[in-house]
Amino acid sequence: MDRYLVFGHPVRHSKSPFIHTLFARQTQQELEYGLAEPTMDEFARTLRDFFDRGGKGCNVTVPFKEQAFALVDRLSPRAKRAGAVNTIKLTDDSVLLGDNTDGAGLVADLKAHGVTLTGSRILLLGAGGAARGALAPLLAEHPAEVVIVNRTHARAEQLAAEFRDLGSVSALTYEQLAGHFDLVINSTSASLQGELPPLAPGLIHADIAIYDMMYGATDTPFIGWAKQHGARQTMDGLGMLVEQAAEAFTVWRGIRPGTKQVLRELKRNLG
Ligand code: ATR
């Protein structure tokens, strides 16, 4: 049977085996999907071993996405732009192809929620790996503008400069932010420390769409905060998780699974 797995550390609570098992059942594909939790030093060797022993593909999550980027034989254009790999496929000619489906997953989930990206003014919070992965797929939708804001402003400047060839993207400080935004995407890891990005509440209005890449059984701190200041449409990152997985499954198997039912089941399990 074709074998796939997810590399991460920690990875025990990963939802990827659950998601891909449901995708396989739904599309009648014969495959098994497991977990691998190597240390940073063991990652390269375990990855090689997996493919030497007949593995067909894998997902890569925190903290291995940059190492995977450096280890694969070939990169997809979107992985090159993201500077990170979350999906690896062994091609028919035995090449390890590194891809990145995170940004596509975000855009697919935003669209599934009916959010208009074309012509909109988007505020992206954070300038780490998650923000980097989102930029090219967002700019491909032709927003009016993407503004990046980050606690460490220089990182936002750097990121904006790297993506300027793809569309209108600029960097501002939290203090400089003003005007009307249609969509705010939180890519920061602030909630992991129980913190909030220092966003002025005045930027939130009833018609703004709020997306937090984090998710949980209850509202994330950022979503709770945005609701408190009047946001009516809020979305967490569970949909992005399922959509990036669907994109990876499509890369591996050449067949696109439906996501709605899987998302419903995941939500039921969380709650
Ligand atoms: P990831 O790969 O998940 O994006 P990362 O590269 O460590 O992780 O980036 C985390 C992002 O969250 C960064 O933009 C970070 O800001 P800095 O560049 O200033 O470190 C942002 N971040 C983390 N904690 C934050 C907080 N409490 N408030 C605001 N931004 C925060």
Side-chain angles (χ1 to χ4, degrees):
M1 200 185 292
D2 288 351
R3 286 195 306 125
Y4 296 83
L5 51 72
V6 54
F7 286 92
H9 200 122
V11 83
R12 268 182 299 274
H13 300 297
S14 169
K15 314 225 174 302
S16 293
F18 180 80
I19 295 171
H20 284 287
T21 302
L22 290 185
F23 284 166
R25 197 177 304 157
Q26 180 203 116
T27 56
Q28 294 170 336
Q29 299 278 300
E30 291 269 321
L31 59 87
E32 58 178 44
Y33 190 106
L35 300 168
E37 196 174 46
T39 63
M40 282 302 253
D41 292 345
E42 290 165 348
F43 174 65
R45 187 178 49 76
T46 359
L47 184 75
R48 244 188 331 266
D49 280 357
F50 171 65
F51 284 106
D52 285 348
R53 290 180 191 168
K56 294 286 185 199
C58 65
N59 285 129
V60 180
T61 186
V62 180
F64 301 124
K65 291 184 188 183
E66 286 77 20
Q67 272 199 63
F69 178 85
L71 286 168
V72 293
D73 302 319
R74 201 190 302 153
L75 290 164
S76 70
R78 59 189 181 181
K80 213 174 277 178
R81 274 282 179 181
V85 158
N86 82 331
T87 301
I88 301 177
K89 174 188 178 159
L90 183 69
T91 66
D92 292 341
D93 44 354
S94 298
V95 167
L96 280 190
L97 175 68
D99 198 356
N100 192 311
T101 65
D102 286 330
L106 169 68
V107 167
D109 193 38
L110 283 164
K111 287 183 175 174
H113 282 94
V115 176
T116 305
L117 298 172
T118 306
S120 67
R121 197 158 178 254
I122 301 173
L123 178 60
L124 180 59
L125 312 182
R132 181 181 294 274
L135 272 168
L138 282 175
L139 289 166
E141 298 297 319
H142 305 290
E145 187 182 17
V146 176
V147 174
I148 307 171
V149 61
N150 192 46
R151 185 175 58 180
T152 312
H153 181 59
R155 289 183 85 192
E157 290 274 14
Q158 168 72 30
L159 205 54
E162 275 180 51
F163 285 85
R164 206 152 276 150
D165 60 317
L166 295 183
S168 173
V169 51
S170 57
L172 291 176
T173 65
Y174 279 103
E175 294 75 34
Q176 286 168 335
L177 287 178
H180 179 97
F181 287 98
D182 302 296
L183 167 65
V184 178
I185 299 169
N186 181 22
S187 82
T188 76
S189 50
S191 24
L192 293 180
Q193 303 114 49
E195 289 175 4
L196 286 167
L199 199 62
L203 289 165
I204 308 300
H205 53 86
D207 298 322
I208 203 165
I210 299 289
Y211 198 99
D212 194 344
M213 290 192 191
M214 300 270 162
Y215 62 84
T218 55
D219 279 350
T220 68
F222 184 66
I223 286 181
W225 175 86
K227 279 184 176 171
Q228 197 185 320
H229 294 287
R232 288 184 306 204
Q233 186 178 19
T234 57
M235 296 150 276
D236 74 14
L238 197 63
M240 174 177 173
L241 178 76
V242 177
E243 295 292 348
Q244 65 76 29
E247 186 76 15
F249 192 93
T250 309
V251 168
W252 294 326
R253 309 299 298 185
I255 178 166
R256 182 170 290 277
T259 51
K260 280 210 177 77
Q261 181 67 28
V262 176
L263 185 56
R264 254 199 306 273
E265 296 208 20
L266 259 187
K267 272 192 187 139
R268 213 177 17 239
N269 281 7
L270 274 187

